[in-house]
Amino acid sequence: MSYAGYVTAAYAVFAAVLLWDFVAPRIRIAQVLRAVRLLARRDAARAQPVAQELKR
């Protein structure tokens, strides 16, 4: 009886989990950085005074 299929599958699962463990935090960091940039842009736009009054 050969266990080559089981060993190959175990290594494949290990590699997939290791890859996900490497990629998932980077995806989350990118999402958080994007949210912080959008929030900073929104706050900066809110802080700027209106250049001139609206005319009727």
Side-chain angles (χ1 to χ4, degrees):
M1 180 182 280
S2 174
Y3 294 104
Y6 295 112
V7 173
T8 304
Y11 275 109
V13 168
F14 171 74
V17 169
L18 193 64
L19 180 65
W20 178 252
D21 212 30
F22 179 79
V23 171
R26 281 155 182 75
I27 292 171
R28 181 66 184 142
I29 289 170
Q31 289 173 340
V32 169
L33 286 175
R34 182 176 183 271
V36 168
R37 273 190 239 112
L38 288 173
L39 183 63
R41 189 180 305 156
R42 212 176 298 137
D43 288 343
R46 206 180 285 155
Q48 289 180 352
V50 177
Q52 56 179 306
E53 277 189 40
L54 296 176
K55 297 180 183 178
R56 291 185 184 202

